[in-house]
Structure formats: structure tokens, C-alpha cells
Amino acid sequence: MRDEYLKKQARWLTEGQIDRRQFIRAAIAAGLAVPSALTLATNVLAATPKKGGKLRLGSSYGSTTDTLDAGTAEHGMTQAINYARGNQLTEISNEGVLVPELSESFEAANGAKTWIFDLRKGVEFHNGKTMTADDVIATFNYHRDENSKSAAKGLLAGITDIKKDGDNRVIFELSGGNADFPFIVSDYHIMIMPSTDGKIEDPNSPIGTGAYIIESFEPGVRTTSKRNPNFFKEGRAHFDECEFITLLDTTARQNAVMNGDVDFIDNVDPKTVALLGRVPTLQIFETTGTQHFTFPMRVNMAPFDNYDLRMALKYAIKRQELVDKILLGHGKAGNDVPVNESMPFFNTELPVHEFNPEKAAEHYKKSGHSGTIQLSASDAAFAGAMDAAQLIAASAKEVGIDIEIVREPSDGYWSNVWNKKAWSACYWGGRPTQDWMYSSAYTNDTEWNDTAWKDGEAATKFNELVVMARSETDEGKRKDQYWEAQRLLQDDGGAVVGMWANFIHAHTKNLVHDEKVAANWQSDGNKIPERWWFA
């Protein structure tokens, strides 16, 4: 009874029906001690969203080569900006559930080969144009055009036709059934853009339907924005302004939040968690999700076109040492697949790729390779990437493999090194389904296949299995298909998935949020500007 009474009083307080003093009196009358009543009042009020203030986000990502073309967004900074200025047909909520966003509802037909999305009515772009089915169709056609360089092109390869049924209904026809299609259309690259005569007006335009309107965009430096007064979501977008600041250097990022120059930072170095946790004004914010740190070997470039060399390196890495020394326990060892226990159909019987000097030496001898192997890295890839590369080189040396670490510039790393150099450090935020993860980074039709694992018997079979699993309705058969896909990828592919890393952030204590926080990406699904507020 007391709990129900206090909940009612708390609701009245947040709705303004009673003030703080009246709430405290009611709590004391219900049997709470004065200190407990004071604390409860403070917590209730802090959990009530308030409008106002300027949010300053310090990010470990950003490059002078960044653009506003959502299709080419490469990292957490451009993703966060896209989410702030635009929206997708669906989204992953802060509770980790797929929900409609620019759509009101969606349903499948024809064995999930047809997907029907009913759009929200009256949603406006920042330029005042009302969003219609034409804008949705033009956006998807922009990404799936045969000359498109969009990272979402591979995700949308299964679409055979898109048509509208009036201004507020879009119908997608797929080449095969795909139960995960509503997840795919939530991808951050597929921000719905305004169109004219069936074509996107300007893919580099800042205009979207999102919570914040971009005022200035300085790639690799900062982006400033103001709240959209016509945002369609009630109870969201509480800040008056939002500023995204690139702080590639780990120490600079840490100092910025400690000194109050920013309100929030991502990618806290595990080595500084204890230090930041002792700052009275700061809160450490950590979530466990699908983020993993990788070292992709491009199999179309020597010496990684040699299967035995790839296997030698996979067995030459002390993965738990990476977790212990780089993550300081804030994560777990990887096993060369971008899938973990949180995903359906995870293969629990894969061989364990851990440091094995005998197997590493055996494969290295069979490879016939000699000489130095270069590994490109920068802490722009992830906090501690340079140290991780050094640890890999040290363990490989124990089995007679000579690795030379190439320290790459932080600026331009994602444009000039990743997906171009033969072996490099990388991070992936992960995806909530296997099909989405594979379609983003491993299938032969995606721009972001950073291992270039596209040809050969194993890769061909893998791609066939991914397509088959999309439309398979028999759970047992689908499990077999995904288990075999993981086995092929782990064995023959070029991905070294070294660590599954928790998302670690730090923020000022007056920056608050809902009880539930998304873990599909860092920074509450990279939607802090829309979901958080100042107490």
C-alpha cells in the first residue's frame, strides 16, 4: 500500500499537481525518515524530463573527410549526427525493442517477401516539406542504385521493387522472404531524405526530419544544432542546442569532461575508469552490447590471400591478454565471428581460437611465408588500439612471426586506412541480428566488407547460407544454416575478432536519462540528444 501511495505522490509531483515540499510531507507521513524523503524527492524530480540547456558531446570519432551523406557515414560521430537530424522507418528503442519511427506500423505478407509500411502523417522536414511515400522511395532508391557507394547498398540488395499506395503507405517487394527486414530499415545510413520528382534533392544536405536542425558542420571538428520546434515525437528532444565535438585524443577527451568543457564522452579508456569515477561531478556509464574490436585481414591482398597464414595469425594472438590489458576486464575474448550469445542462433560449438603456439607455427610453416607483416593501427580505431597491436606483435613473435606496427594518423583513418590497408585495427558496434551484421560487413554485396572475403568456395557457400537463412521459417533449419555460416566465416574468413568490449562513457551528474538505456550502440544507441536531459 505504501509503495502505491508513494508512486501516486511521485506522479503528482512530476505532473506539477503538488510541489516538492508537499511531496516530502506526504513521504514522511507514509513512514519515510526525513533523509530518505529528501532523497526520494530529489530522485523523482531528476527523473522528470526538463527542457533547456546546451548539450556538448565529446566523441572519439570524427574526420576532416566526413560528409553529411548518410550513406557514407563511417563511425559513431556521423551516426550520432544522422540520428539527431534525421529518422528511419523503424528504430531500436531505449528498451532494446524494434519499434516504428517514421512509420506508424509495418506488416509482412507473402511469406515475408512483401513488407507494408504505413507512414506517420504530418511529419515535416526541417525545410517545411511534408514527408510522403515519395521521399521514402527516393531515399531507398538512392542507396540501392547500381552506382551507389552507400554502405547500406548490400543491406537492400534483396529489394526488387518499391511502390506506394497513396502518400502514406510504402510497399517493399523482396526477392525472398526476410523476417529481419524491419530491423534493416532502422540502419542509420537509411535516414529518410527530402526528394523532388522522385530523386533525392541533395544527399549532402543537412535537412532531415529529426530532433535537431544543423546550424554548422565542420568535419572532424564540431557540429552545432538547435532543437527542431516541429519534431514529431512527444516527450523527446529536451535540449535547446546540441554540439558534437570531435576529440580523437583519449587524454584530451578525458580532460574535457573532467574540466566541464563537455557534458559527455564516449570510449573512456578502461585504464582511466577509476580516475574518472573519483571525480565528484562525474558519472561512469557502462553498457554491455554487441561492440567488438577487430583486426580485419583483406584476403585479396598478400600475404592474407594465404589460408594458412591467416590461421597462423588467428592462433598467434593472446585474446584474454587483450581483454585483461586493454579492456581491463570490461569485456570478453572474441572468437573470430561477429556474433555473441546475445544473438539468436549463436554457434556454441565453434573451435576456440586462442593462443596456440604449436598450431600457429604449424600453419605458418605451411604458408611458406617469411619476412615482416605490417599491421596498421591508430587509437582512432578504438581506445588502446595501438597497445593492442603491440600485444599481438609480441605474442606472434613467440611463434616466429614478425609483425611491424604502422602507426597511422588519427585524422582520416576511416577513409585512408580502414577498408584499404591489408591489415588494420577496427571496431564494430555490432548489429542485433546475424543477417544484419553479415549484410553490413561480410556478404559479397556490401561496401563495408573490410576483409574482402567474397570469392572462393567457403565465401560463396557463406553467402548462399545467409540468403537461405533470411527466408527460412523452420527454426531448426535456420539454426543449422547460421551455425554453418559461422563455422565458414571463423575458419576461412579474414576477420580477427579479438575482443567484445563494453561501452564505457563518462558524463556530468546533472545529465540524466530514462531507467532503460539502449545497448545496440554506444551512447544510448547514439540517441542521447533525443533521449536525455539536464536535471
Side-chain angles (χ1 to χ4, degrees):
M1 289 291 294
R2 188 179 76 169
D3 288 347
E4 291 301 318
Y5 172 77
L6 289 173
K7 286 181 180 178
K8 182 175 70 173
Q9 296 295 320
R11 186 177 71 252
W12 287 352
L13 175 61
T14 58
E15 293 174 352
Q17 296 184 46
I18 60 175
D19 60 23
R20 187 173 188 272
R21 179 174 295 179
Q22 290 171 310
F23 175 82
I24 292 171
R25 286 176 178 170
I28 293 172
L32 290 188
V34 172
S36 298
L38 291 171
T39 299
L40 182 59
T42 300
N43 292 340
V44 169
L45 290 171
T48 305
K50 298 179 180 63
K51 297 289 185 183
K54 178 179 181 178
L55 173 67
R56 300 159 302 167
L57 295 170
S59 176
S60 57
Y61 305 106
S63 170
T64 54
T65 59
D66 291 341
T67 73
L68 287 174
D69 182 348
T72 62
E74 293 177 327
H75 48 68
M77 172 65 94
T78 46
Q79 179 188 17
I81 292 172
N82 284 348
Y83 277 155
R85 69 185 175 104
N87 304 98
Q88 286 68 25
L89 289 181
T90 60
E91 70 169 325
I92 306 295
S93 74
N94 59 304
E95 297 183 342
V97 178
L98 183 75
V99 297
E101 190 173 34
L102 286 176
S103 63
E104 281 186 337
S105 63
F106 50 86
E107 62 177 335
N110 191 24
K113 290 179 67 174
T114 301
W115 281 94
I116 303 160
F117 288 80
D118 288 322
L119 306 179
R120 292 184 184 275
K121 299 176 180 65
V123 175
E124 291 185 357
F125 290 100
H126 298 155
N127 60 2
K129 179 184 185 299
T130 299
M131 182 201 72
T132 69
D134 291 327
D135 302 306
V136 174
I137 294 172
T139 295
F140 276 82
N141 285 339
Y142 169 74
H143 292 287
R144 58 193 284 264
D145 183 87
E146 63 176 331
N147 297 316
S148 171
K149 296 298 182 183
S150 169
K153 183 178 180 180
L155 294 175
L156 307 179
I159 297 175
T160 58
D161 188 33
I162 314 175
K163 56 189 176 184
K164 68 176 185 177
D165 180 10
D167 283 342
N168 298 297
R169 172 172 286 186
V170 180
I171 302 170
F172 295 86
E173 299 291 347
L174 310 182
S175 58
N178 189 346
D180 292 338
F181 188 71
F183 281 94
I184 288 172
V185 300
S186 74
D187 187 87
Y188 62 92
H189 298 99
I190 316 175
M191 183 192 90
I192 304 303
M193 299 177 279
S195 65
T196 301
D197 298 327
K199 298 289 184 181
I200 294 304
E201 296 171 0
D202 177 8
N204 281 295
S205 166
I207 293 174
T209 57
Y212 291 88
I213 302 170
I214 290 181
E215 295 187 301
S216 68
F217 175 64
E218 299 176 69
V221 183
R222 71 183 64 236
T223 297
T224 61
S225 61
K226 63 179 180 181
R227 184 169 59 222
N228 174 11
N230 298 319
F231 188 45
F232 65 91
K233 294 184 186 180
E234 293 185 9
R236 295 296 189 188
H238 306 292
F239 305 105
D240 292 331
E241 302 174 76
C242 184
E243 185 174 13
F244 303 85
I245 304 168
T246 293
L247 296 168
L248 298 179
D249 183 76
T250 303
T251 302
R253 199 162 59 250
Q254 169 188 306
N255 288 340
V257 75
M258 291 176 66
N259 296 335
D261 297 324
V262 297
D263 305 296
F264 181 99
I265 62 170
D266 59 24
N267 276 357
V268 171
D269 190 328
K271 294 192 291 291
T272 64
V273 169
L275 171 65
L276 292 176
R278 291 195 293 269
V279 178
T281 58
L282 295 183
Q283 179 80 41
I284 298 297
F285 167 57
E286 184 168 354
T287 57
T288 302
T290 56
Q291 176 176 238
H292 49 285
F293 296 158
T294 69
F295 295 87
M297 302 176 283
R298 295 188 67 78
V299 303
N300 63 344
M301 300 173 69
F304 306 106
D305 53 354
N306 185 308
Y307 167 84
D308 283 295
L309 179 73
R310 298 197 298 272
M311 289 303 296
L313 289 169
K314 290 174 184 179
Y315 282 117
I317 298 172
K318 297 180 179 179
R319 296 154 194 267
Q320 190 58 46
E321 182 180 50
L322 294 177
V323 174
D324 295 341
K325 295 184 177 179
I326 304 301
L327 301 181
L328 300 183
H330 296 273
K332 60 186 298 185
N335 198 29
D336 298 338
V337 288
V339 181
N340 66 12
E341 298 88 340
S342 69
M343 296 183 187
F345 311 112
F346 171 65
N347 189 337
T348 58
E349 297 179 2
L350 289 174
V352 177
H353 285 180
E354 174 54 325
F355 184 66
N356 188 318
E358 291 78 18
K359 285 188 176 182
E362 176 186 345
H363 281 289
Y364 189 59
K365 183 178 180 180
K366 287 176 65 176
S367 75
H369 181 271
S370 62
T372 299
I373 300 172
Q374 289 190 334
L375 171 56
S376 293
S378 164
D379 282 347
F382 57 86
M386 286 301 303
D387 290 338
Q390 295 290 350
L391 288 174
I392 289 174
S395 62
K397 189 174 183 179
E398 293 184 32
V399 297
I401 303 176
D402 184 19
I403 296 176
E404 176 191 356
I405 307 302
V406 180
R407 181 182 290 273
E408 301 284 1
S410 292
D411 186 43
Y413 182 83
W414 298 107
S415 299
N416 303 321
V417 179
W418 173 75
N419 222 5
K420 291 183 174 60
K421 295 293 182 72
W423 195 19
S424 63
C426 176
Y427 89 100
W428 281 94
R431 303 294 190 272
T433 68
Q434 289 199 46
D435 182 69
W436 191 359
M437 187 67 240
Y438 298 148
S439 299
S440 297
Y442 292 92
T443 53
N444 56 14
D445 52 9
T446 176
E447 291 286 323
W448 279 10
N449 188 326
D450 58 11
T451 60
W453 188 60
K454 301 180 180 183
D455 302 312
E457 183 179 347
T460 300
K461 181 62 176 175
F462 169 84
N463 280 274
E464 291 173 352
L465 287 165
V466 170
V467 172
M468 291 167 59
R470 282 177 190 154
S471 56
E472 182 55 67
T473 56
D474 184 291
E475 294 284 292
K477 291 180 180 178
R478 202 174 194 210
K479 171 192 170 184
D480 291 343
Q481 290 160 352
Y482 275 132
W483 274 42
E484 177 64 5
Q486 291 166 70
R487 188 195 65 78
L488 291 167
L489 178 58
Q490 186 205 40
D491 178 67
D492 191 69
V496 173
V497 180
M499 299 172 274
W500 290 87
N502 296 351
F503 295 117
I504 311 176
H505 323 73
H507 63 84
T508 58
K509 287 184 176 178
N510 68 330
L511 186 60
V512 292
H513 52 80
D514 289 335
E515 181 180 353
K516 294 288 183 68
V517 175
N520 58 312
W521 301 105
Q522 63 190 1
S523 309
D524 196 359
N526 265 327
K527 291 203 171 187
I528 285 177
E530 179 184 310
R531 295 173 177 170
W532 292 31
W533 63 91
F534 286 124

